[in-house]
């Protein structure tokens, strides 16, 4: 059962068993290698699109992306215009489908706060306990190195030599809280909520029993509009007041950067291929 929150409220989620499909979709090594390279290439392309739309906006100037599209969608975050993060995308997810002829198609890009990494690691851990003979007798690709790879990527997003990293969650009420909590354990970092953090002197600090401790990287599991209740078009109160101000001042690094969710705008999908080709 989900525990009672510190303020006495019960969590909004219902307690339910964790289910794993006993018949997974299996990809051979050459197929997965090609697919992973294609996904990495697309991630770089989307990084360039975000940098342009929040920077020089040549795609708007050249009429590849309609200006009215950006003006109409709340996913275009005004607070992020003119910012130049080290990377817009540290993690990226994509839904793909393969047709009967073997061609792979992109169904959906997920760039805001894509979930699933913790679920994948949890699933593999369960399989290793329940059906260890299957994993031992088949040449299944290992996920053991992934947490270290992700931790290095998060550290590389910060200019600090040895950054303090935390996983920023919406708490028990968030539908992907299991993903957040398991991922934090695997990364070996603190799992925090908005109430655990405070902005002082342009920096983000973690409240601890010994006082405030500085945070360098927030691996955010919250969407753009929930990060800072003081931002334009914000929603709810799970974020941290003045968080975006601290990010603009270089006092903290957000991974992914604020505004990255623009790629998920449905109306933008139709012009994404042309935008990627224009910047290539």
């Amino acid at each position: 059962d989900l525990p009672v929150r510190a303020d006495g409220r019960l969590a909004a989620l219902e307690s339910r068993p964790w289910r794993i499909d006993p018949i997974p979709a299996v990809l051979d090594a050459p197929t997965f290698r090609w697919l992973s390279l294609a996904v990495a290439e697309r991630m770089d392309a989307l990084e360039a699109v975000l940098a342009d739309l929040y920077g020089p906006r040549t795609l708007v100037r050249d009429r590849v992306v309609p200006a009215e599209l950006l003006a109409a969608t709340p996913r275009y975050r005004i607070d992020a215009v003119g910012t130049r993060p080290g990377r817009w995308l540290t993690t990226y997810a994509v839904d793909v489908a393969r047709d009967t002829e073997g061609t792979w198609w992109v169904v959906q890009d997920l760039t805001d706060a894509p979930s699933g990494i913790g679920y994948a690691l949890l699933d593999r851990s369960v399989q290793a306990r329940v059906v260890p003979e299957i994993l031992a007798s088949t040449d299944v690709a290992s996920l053991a190195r992934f947490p270290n790879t992700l931790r290095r990527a998060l550290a590389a997003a910060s200019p600090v030599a040895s950054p303090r990293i935390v996983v920023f969650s919406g708490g028990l009420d968030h539908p992907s809280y299991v993903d957040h909590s398991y991922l934090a354990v695997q990364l070996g970092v603190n799992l925090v909520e908005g109430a655990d953090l405070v902005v002082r002197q342009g920096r983000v600090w973690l409240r601890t029993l010994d006082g405030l401790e500085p945070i360098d990287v927030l691996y955010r599991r919250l969407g753009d509009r929930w990060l800072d209740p003081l931002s334009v078009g914000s929603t709810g109160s799970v974020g941290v007041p003045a968080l975006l101000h601290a990010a603009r001042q270089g006092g903290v690094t957000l991974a992914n950067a604020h505004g990255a969710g623009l790629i998920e705008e449905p109306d933008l999908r139709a012009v994404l291929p042309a935008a990627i080709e224009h910047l290539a």
Side-chain angles (χ1 to χ4, degrees):
D1 291 334
L2 291 171
V4 177
R5 297 175 59 96
D7 58 8
R9 293 185 294 120
L10 292 174
L13 300 177
E14 296 180 357
S15 179
R16 55 186 182 272
W18 183 254
R19 303 187 184 279
I20 301 177
D21 192 336
I23 307 177
V26 179
L27 299 178
D28 58 72
T31 299
F32 184 79
R33 188 177 301 111
W34 175 88
L35 189 60
S36 63
L37 292 174
V39 169
E41 183 177 340
R42 184 172 180 85
M43 181 178 178
D44 287 338
L46 297 179
E47 174 87 15
V49 171
L50 287 169
D52 180 82
L53 291 179
Y54 284 109
R57 295 203 286 189
T58 58
L59 292 172
V60 176
R61 182 198 63 196
D62 298 339
R63 302 180 183 275
V64 178
V65 174
E68 57 271 21
L69 187 156
L70 297 183
T73 175
R75 284 191 173 273
Y76 188 64
R77 308 302 297 175
I78 301 301
D79 305 79
V81 174
T83 59
R84 302 179 66 179
R87 279 197 68 86
W88 285 94
L89 301 176
T90 302
T91 56
Y92 162 67
V94 58
D95 292 336
V96 295
R98 182 169 56 183
D99 62 22
T100 55
E101 297 180 355
T103 302
W104 288 91
W105 297 89
V106 172
V107 178
Q108 183 182 16
D109 296 294
L110 300 168
T111 57
D112 198 353
S115 61
I117 298 175
Y119 291 136
L121 295 173
L122 177 59
D123 288 351
R124 183 62 61 88
S125 175
V126 172
Q127 290 171 338
R129 294 196 305 269
V130 177
V131 287
E133 66 281 358
I134 294 180
L135 295 183
S137 61
T138 55
D139 190 16
V140 178
S142 174
L143 298 180
R145 294 185 299 175
F146 188 84
N148 286 335
T149 301
L150 177 57
R151 190 162 49 244
R152 287 197 300 269
L154 292 170
S158 172
V160 179
S162 182
R164 173 80 178 271
I165 303 170
V166 297
V167 174
F168 184 27
S169 170
L172 288 169
D173 293 326
H174 196 283
S176 298
Y177 180 74
V178 172
D179 178 85
H180 305 170
S181 58
Y182 192 80
L183 184 57
V185 171
Q186 296 302 305
L187 291 174
V189 302
N190 289 102
L191 178 68
V192 304
E193 303 177 31
D196 301 318
L197 305 173
V198 64
V199 175
R200 294 285 187 275
Q201 299 177 341
R203 293 209 60 181
V204 176
W205 303 79
L206 174 64
R207 304 178 194 267
T208 72
L209 294 177
D210 295 326
L212 299 179
E213 297 180 0
I215 297 299
D216 301 302
V217 179
L218 280 181
Y219 181 32
R220 64 179 183 91
R221 306 287 77 213
L222 287 174
D224 281 328
R225 59 179 179 164
W226 288 285
L227 289 177
D228 185 344
L230 301 181
S231 67
V232 178
S234 65
T235 302
S237 58
V238 295
V240 181
L243 174 60
L244 298 184
H245 171 74
R248 285 193 297 269
Q249 296 296 315
V252 71
T253 297
L254 299 179
N256 291 339
H258 175 60
L262 173 63
I263 296 296
E264 298 182 14
E265 167 59 38
D267 291 337
L268 185 63
R269 294 175 193 166
V271 298
L272 263 183
I276 292 173
E277 183 178 357
H278 191 77
L279 295 176

